[in-house]
Amino acid sequence: MNMLEMKHVKKAFGETGVLKDISFSVKEGDVVSIIGPSGSGKSTLLRCATGLETMDEGEIQCEEFGLVFQNFNLFPHFSVLKNIVDAPIRNQKRPKEEVYQEARELLEKMGLSDKETAYPCELSGGQKQRVSIARALAMNPKILFFDEPTSALDPELTLEILKVIRELAEEKMTMVIVTHEMSFARDVSNRIIFMENGYIVEDGTPEEVFTSENARTREFLGKYHHSS
Ligand SMILES: Nc1ncnc2c1ncn2[C@@H]1O[C@H](COP(=O)(O)OP(=O)(O)OP(=O)(O)O)[C@@H](O)[C@H]1O
Ligand SMILES: [Mg+2]
């Protein structure tokens, strides 16, 4: 079953085409990493998939989703627990008790049981990101989107978040992850999409993409090896 399907999606900002003809689908249990140079359209693709941005042409079908951003986007005036329970109670109209219990289970899973009453400003970046993952999971999404979930974090906190994502992958959570962490993408995903200049250049298993003969793919991944 497809959790996301995009067909011939196009998007331009003014004269500039950003998504030029994007077609792909994500099946239940897939973990898809989207890689590619800055400006290639990765965030725009996620924003179109999740309805934050309108596309110009094409078709998108997406199941209920959760979104985790680079900058956490927590409500600063809500406690950690309130950040997690607010949307399930107010928007999904689910029973309070059930939502609170699930939220506490999620916090435990994220190793944050002692932070229930803390406010976002009292947390480290890695803790904030774990709260935003718990908040996304509290909506019981069918698919989770991450846009550079570790790019605001130092290497140690990055590992913390990558571990959480790896655990979710083991639980067969369907995920689409925009990332510049090549070794993580290779390790955790069953599929990698390489985007450049608004097009999908490669869509395959990590093995296929990392051994691709395509000149651009090789150049991009080569740069990565040298800089890391
Ligand atoms: N709201 C907007 N208005 C105008 N141009 C935009 C807007 N959002 C994105 N763009 C342009 O679209 C192009 C693709 O941007 P996008 O954010 O999707 O790239 P990206 O692949 O996510 O890059 P990065 O790796 O740096 O995050 C860029 O040239 C950007 O300047
Ligand atoms: Mg981006």
Side-chain angles (χ1 to χ4, degrees):
M1 185 182 167
N2 284 338
M3 295 291 145
L4 169 68
E5 183 155 18
M6 292 181 112
K7 284 187 193 162
H8 303 294
V9 171
K10 294 184 186 168
K11 172 74 183 173
F13 291 109
E15 297 285 284
T16 318
V18 172
L19 300 180
K20 291 176 181 162
D21 186 8
I22 297 290
S23 298
F24 72 104
S25 55
V26 177
K27 289 202 237 358
E28 190 169 3
D30 267 352
V31 179
V32 180
S33 289
I34 302 182
I35 61 173
S38 185
S40 55
K42 306 180 298 295
S43 294
T44 305
L45 187 154
L46 285 201
R47 293 175 61 79
C48 285
T50 54
L52 290 172
E53 194 71 75
T54 53
M55 61 188 163
D56 300 331
E57 274 181 58
E59 272 177 58
I60 297 177
Q61 279 176 315
C62 187
E63 293 294 320
E64 281 165 43
F65 60 86
L67 247 179
V68 178
F69 299 96
Q70 160 181 7
N71 295 318
F72 326 125
N73 291 13
L74 296 172
F75 299 117
H77 55 295
F78 282 178
S79 69
V80 163
L81 193 59
K82 183 112 200 273
N83 261 285
I84 297 172
V85 300
D86 191 56
I89 292 173
R90 276 212 297 189
N91 304 345
Q92 292 184 323
K93 315 273 183 225
R94 282 167 47 205
K96 270 191 185 179
E97 265 179 43
E98 174 194 307
V99 172
Y100 271 94
Q101 194 191 328
E102 261 187 46
R104 292 199 163 98
E105 284 166 15
L106 284 167
L107 281 175
E108 193 182 341
K109 186 169 164 183
M110 297 295 152
L112 292 171
S113 291
D114 55 333
K115 298 292 182 193
E116 256 184 37
T117 58
Y119 284 82
C121 64
E122 300 170 302
L123 303 178
S124 73
Q127 289 167 340
K128 279 184 213 166
Q129 194 56 304
R130 280 181 283 149
V131 174
S132 51
I133 294 171
R135 183 177 60 174
L137 289 170
M139 305 285 283
N140 293 328
K142 296 249 171 69
I143 176 167
L144 259 191
F145 293 97
F146 295 85
D147 194 354
E148 297 192 40
T150 63
S151 61
L153 304 176
D154 72 27
E156 213 165 316
L157 296 183
T158 293
L159 289 180
E160 212 175 76
I161 297 306
L162 297 183
K163 180 166 164 262
V164 169
I165 295 176
R166 189 169 284 126
E167 282 164 9
L168 292 172
E170 278 160 17
E171 293 165 18
K172 301 289 169 225
M173 183 77 212
T174 308
M175 293 185 280
V176 176
I177 308 161
V178 171
T179 183
H180 291 285
E181 304 276 343
M182 294 305 136
S183 54
F184 171 74
R186 182 174 196 164
D187 188 42
V188 80
S189 347
N190 65 321
R191 244 171 88 198
I192 294 183
I193 289 177
F194 171 54
M195 273 187 83
E196 177 164 63
N197 192 23
Y199 293 103
I200 292 178
V201 178
E202 301 265 1
D203 179 350
T205 64
E207 175 70 17
E208 284 163 352
V209 172
F210 276 83
T211 59
S212 167
E213 296 294 323
N214 181 294
R216 262 314 283 149
T217 310
R218 287 174 67 113
E219 190 191 357
F220 178 75
L221 292 173
K223 250 182 215 153
Y224 238 92
H225 286 306
H226 297 309
S227 66
S228 61

